[in-house]
Amino acid sequence: MEKAIFGTVFEFFRLAILSLVLGVNTSAFAQKQAAKGAEAQGRLVLAINEGAAGSFNAMEIVFRYEEFRPVLEKALGAPVPLVAVRSAKDLRNGVATGLYTLVMSRPADVLAEAIRDHGFQAVVSAKEPAYALFIVNRDSPLKTIADIRGKSIVTPDRYAYMWRIANAMMRDNSISLEKERVRNMGDQAAIGWSMETRFFDVGVVSSTSGVGRGWEKGGGRVLARSREVPNTSIIASPKISDAQIQRLRATLVGLETTESGAAILKKIGVNGFRETSSQTFLDLLKWLGDLEAGKE
């Protein structure tokens, strides 16, 4: 009897786990098919990428931005399906093939490439700018970025946005990232933990990440801070008219002035939007350098 009950329980959990796995895979497949279907019908598609600093999976991102979507639809006068794109490589491919007509991303390098290579236009960026931070522990003997030569460094993945910024900063200080002792990690929280446990001398994180926001409050030091770079920006493809872009820009900049708009902004983790120019992104790309086009 007990054996039969155990077998039933085991089978229940096996099926539950299988259903969960299939659900995740089906969700990802459904998102891709929805984007392709929308493209075929000439509809607008918003791709969202939160970069390595984000901690939400694809399904959570779609739910997180669900109340933001009607704001876009009202301003543009058309349905706007959402697609969460975690991979920078997939985002680049979707932009290049015309799969996405709107792109919202924390990392700005992919957006800059879309503006330069595919005729996209900048719409808005978050009012809060972003920075790459070189972090050290409080008692570190390092004083400036010039001191990191020969030290152990942990950065986000190779060619990731913050990696590219770190590379540019080091280049400007006559240090080659390629010649230093560097370890790459995809999760910025893991970088923070590695620094706290003193596995490395220096870490590189985004100021918008949990580690970046809390490092100094927790007693750590910021050794160097990058130039200001765009954060959580939206760009639009040539398929969207100038009139639509103007309406969208005005709507997004004005969101923080209403209680309901402020609530939507809070849910997506933005304190407000400001108008931004395409030239800002082109200047950023020139500073970063192509590096093999920054590909993942």
Side-chain angles (χ1 to χ4, degrees), residues 33 41 46-47 52 58 72 155 172 186 209 211 213-214 241 259 264 278:
Q33 293 303 110
Q41 297 172 27
L46 170 65
L72 305 182
T155 76
D172 291 349
S209 67
V211 177
R213 293 186 188 281
S241 70
E259 185 175 342
I264 292 172
S278 295

Side-chain angles (χ1 to χ4, degrees), residues 34-35 38 43-47 69 73 78-83:
R43 294 169 62 193
L44 309 180
V45 178
L46 170 65
R69 182 167 60 89
E73 293 179 332
V80 183
L82 303 183
V83 180

Side-chain angles (χ1 to χ4, degrees), residues 50-55 86 154-158 160-163 183-192 194 204-205 209 296:
E50 294 201 339
S55 58
R86 294 281 293 178
V154 57
T155 76
D157 284 338
R158 184 179 177 85
Y161 185 39
M162 288 296 132
W163 184 95
R183 171 73 180 274
N184 306 122
M185 292 186 179
D187 185 359
Q188 293 192 37
I191 292 177
S194 297
V204 176
V205 295
S209 67
E296 203 176 60

Side-chain angles (χ1 to χ4, degrees), residues 29-40 43 45 81-83 99:
F29 175 78
Q31 285 192 58
K32 290 181 180 179
Q33 293 303 110
K36 290 179 180 178
E39 178 195 21
R43 294 169 62 193
V45 178
L82 303 183
V83 180
L99 193 60

Side-chain angles (χ1 to χ4, degrees), residues 5 7 31 48 59 61 64 68 89 128 173 179 199 201 212 228 237 273:
I5 294 174
Q31 285 192 58
I48 299 173
M59 185 63 72
I61 289 175
R64 186 184 189 194
F68 182 66
K89 182 178 180 180
E128 177 192 19
N173 284 272
K179 295 179 180 178
F199 282 121
D201 299 313
E228 179 181 307
S237 84
F273 287 107

Side-chain angles (χ1 to χ4, degrees), residues 236-256:
S237 84
K239 296 178 183 178
I240 300 179
S241 70
D242 288 340
Q244 286 177 304
I245 290 175
Q246 290 300 326
R247 289 199 304 271
L248 179 59
R249 182 177 289 134
T251 297
L252 295 176
V253 170
L255 267 182
E256 63 180 301

Side-chain angles (χ1 to χ4, degrees), residues 226-240:
S226 74
R227 60 193 277 183
E228 179 181 307
V229 296
N231 169 35
T232 312
S233 305
I234 297 177
I235 61 172
S237 84
K239 296 178 183 178
I240 300 179

Side-chain angles (χ1 to χ4, degrees), residues 52-54 106 131 133 188-189 204-215:
R106 279 183 181 168
Y131 305 88
L133 306 179
Q188 293 192 37
V204 176
V205 295
S206 169
S207 61
T208 63
S209 67
V211 177
R213 293 186 188 281
W215 188 254

